[in-house]
């Protein structure tokens, strides 16, 4: 019933910018949205989350200050604005939806909390 689709990936030069989009359809009432990425040869990591309860945003240290997660007023679109990208940002980026328990947003990056995942979109940062 629930479908999550990412878009906006592609190739970009170091120092450039890119915006990813996440569209969720179906029953997603009170779902928080997280962005994850998996670089070649590395574990998948959480990089950002926007909470459903109060729109609070969370970021990993690797992207803090460079990436911005935001939600459209329609509540079914979430963006990931990427600025000053680096070669190490090269990865498959995933959007995920989940209901995070209150008091557990300090662990927003735990994949177990997210029930619905997109197929991923490739971002390649190179000269």
């Amino acid at each position: 019933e629930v479908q999550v689709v990412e878009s906006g990936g592609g190739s970009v030069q170091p120092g450039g910018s890119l915006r990813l989009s996440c569209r969720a359809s179906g029953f997603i009432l009170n779902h928080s949205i997280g962005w994850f990425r998996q670089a070649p040869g590395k574990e998948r990591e959480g990089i950002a989350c926007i909470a459903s309860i109060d729109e609070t945003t969370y970021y990993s240290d690797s992207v803090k200050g460079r990436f911005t997660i935001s939600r459209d007023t329609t509540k079914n679109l979430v963006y990931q604005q990427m600025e000053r990208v680096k070669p190490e940002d090269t990865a498959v980026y995933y959007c995920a939806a989940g209901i995070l328990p209150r008091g557990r947003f300090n662990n927003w990056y735990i994949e177990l909390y997210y029930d619905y995942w997109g197929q991923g979109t490739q971002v390649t940062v190179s000269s």
Side-chain angles (χ1 to χ4, degrees), residues 29-111:
L29 182 65
N30 202 35
H31 279 68
S32 298
I33 301 295
W35 282 98
F36 294 76
R37 70 182 182 185
Q38 186 166 27
K42 291 190 173 183
E43 295 283 313
R44 186 160 59 191
E45 64 170 337
I47 58 171
C49 174
I50 185 163
S52 64
I53 55 174
D54 59 4
E55 302 296 314
T56 299
T57 57
Y58 304 86
Y59 300 94
S60 68
D61 290 338
S62 61
V63 307
K64 189 176 297 182
R66 299 188 299 118
F67 292 9
T68 303
I69 187 171
S70 61
R71 193 192 302 270
D72 187 270
T73 54
T74 64
K75 310 297 183 183
N76 69 344
L77 278 176
V78 172
Y79 303 103
Q80 179 77 287
Q81 182 68 37
M82 305 165 60
E83 303 285 351
R84 305 190 307 280
V85 297
K86 306 173 181 178
E88 52 262 44
D89 292 323
T90 296
V92 177
Y93 284 73
Y94 299 89
C95 180
I99 301 177
L100 276 67
R102 286 182 170 84
R104 291 292 181 268
F105 278 98
N106 58 316
N107 292 327
W108 60 268
Y109 53 86
I110 301 297
E111 295 187 12

